Amino acid sequence: DVKVTQSSRYLVKRTGEKVFLECVQDMDHENMFWYRQDPGLGLRLIYFSYDVKMKEKGDIPEGYSVSREKKERFSLILESASTNQTSMYLCASRRGQGGETQYFGPGTRLLVL
Amino acid sequence: EDQVTQSPEALRLQEGESSSLNCSYTVSGLRGLFWYRQDPGKGPEFLFTLYSAGEEKEKERLKATLTKKESFLHITAPKPEDSATYLCAVFGRTYKYIFGTGTRLKVLA
């Protein structure tokens, strides 16, 4: 079974704090993704990575950065958290470059006060 | 522009009352259509991948079908534990996954 884990299920942070969300997958997948999910808006892609040290912007990268130093680990960084970044953050991984299935982690619910 | 529309937004069924969820899509060069189940506060759980029109896949009480314009998730004799949000997504030539906003299913005992 594919296993994608995220470092925290719930986080509460203050405006202006630097926030790190970590994701680890154990299936040697080349591709990893960060999404945020908001009611009525569905899943929106923030960043993805197709290889170690490689990254591509998704649809809503503003206010976020990412790091992929090892194949199994993909980190999302909120440089200076703002209240509009309160959301559910989902990490996913996928093998290959075609229409293969994405597998999701359990999610991190972030509240920025 | 690639687009996914799911209907209905919400559905309430009695236990044992079969029904179908719809996922209508427009995509340039479909490379895969995906169904996920998502429980409140959790990440989406993979159910099915369909690649070409006419394809069908089954798992317990769920059956997914695909045409050139839409996919259906048929739920036969549902149980309360089938209550969840069901998400549909497509992957096409843009190499991006496009998600619908989901159908919230509630099955009453």
Side-chain angles (χ1 to χ4, degrees):
Chain A
D1 276 356
V2 176
K3 185 81 169 178
V4 180
T5 57
Q6 295 182 228
S7 52
S8 305
R9 292 300 308 277
Y10 302 97
L11 274 179
V12 181
K13 296 292 181 181
R14 296 263 177 216
T15 300
E17 279 193 77
K18 192 169 186 175
V19 182
F20 294 87
L21 303 182
E22 298 245 304
C23 175
V24 178
Q25 52 95 4
D26 69 353
M27 287 304 292
D28 201 36
H29 285 175
E30 296 87 351
N31 306 277
M32 296 186 75
F33 306 80
W34 275 107
Y35 292 88
R36 63 178 284 177
Q37 185 177 32
D38 300 289
L41 296 177
L43 276 78
R44 292 179 292 168
L45 181 65
I46 304 171
Y47 268 98
F48 70 97
S49 169
Y50 53 90
D51 202 350
V52 175
K53 297 191 185 293
M54 306 304 288
K55 61 185 179 184
E56 292 283 343
K57 292 180 180 179
D59 298 318
I60 51 164
E62 297 79 18
Y64 303 95
S65 62
V66 291
S67 172
R68 192 161 180 208
E69 297 296 320
K70 293 185 178 181
K71 190 175 187 180
E72 68 271 17
R73 190 180 298 269
F74 192 34
S75 301
L76 180 69
I77 303 148
L78 286 65
E79 298 291 342
S80 177
S82 63
T83 55
N84 62 13
Q85 293 178 310
T86 291
S87 186
M88 173 70 135
Y89 289 87
L90 293 165
C91 175
S93 75
R94 184 196 76 199
R95 182 184 309 281
Q97 301 300 324
E100 287 86 355
T101 302
Q102 279 187 323
Y103 295 91
F104 285 87
T108 296
R109 188 167 292 282
L110 173 65
L111 174 62
V112 182
L113 300 173
Chain B
E1 183 183 338
D2 296 352
Q3 197 167 13
V4 172
T5 303
Q6 292 188 245
S7 61
E9 284 188 22
L11 182 62
R12 291 165 68 94
L13 300 173
Q14 292 294 323
E15 184 172 3
E17 180 187 1
S18 301
S19 188
S20 298
L21 313 182
N22 178 262
C23 171
S24 295
Y25 66 90
T26 54
V27 64
S28 176
L30 180 71
R31 296 175 186 269
L33 184 141
F34 311 90
W35 281 100
Y36 293 88
R37 169 195 171 121
Q38 187 174 25
D39 293 302
K42 296 188 177 180
E45 174 190 343
F46 168 68
L47 293 174
F48 303 110
T49 303
L50 302 169
Y51 290 106
S52 57
E55 191 174 358
E56 299 182 353
K57 289 194 176 172
E58 284 188 71
K59 179 180 177 181
E60 296 180 357
R61 295 178 292 282
L62 300 177
K63 179 180 177 180
T65 61
L66 180 65
T67 73
K68 289 187 177 179
K69 293 184 178 179
E70 57 192 350
S71 177
F72 290 94
L73 185 65
H74 306 278
I75 304 178
T76 302
K79 299 181 178 182
E81 53 262 42
D82 295 322
S83 298
T85 295
Y86 291 86
L87 298 173
C88 173
V90 296
F91 185 87
R93 283 203 199 101
T94 61
Y95 289 90
K96 291 171 66 173
Y97 293 88
I98 307 298
F99 284 83
T101 52
T103 293
R104 293 189 314 277
L105 174 65
K106 178 75 172 176
V107 181
L108 304 170

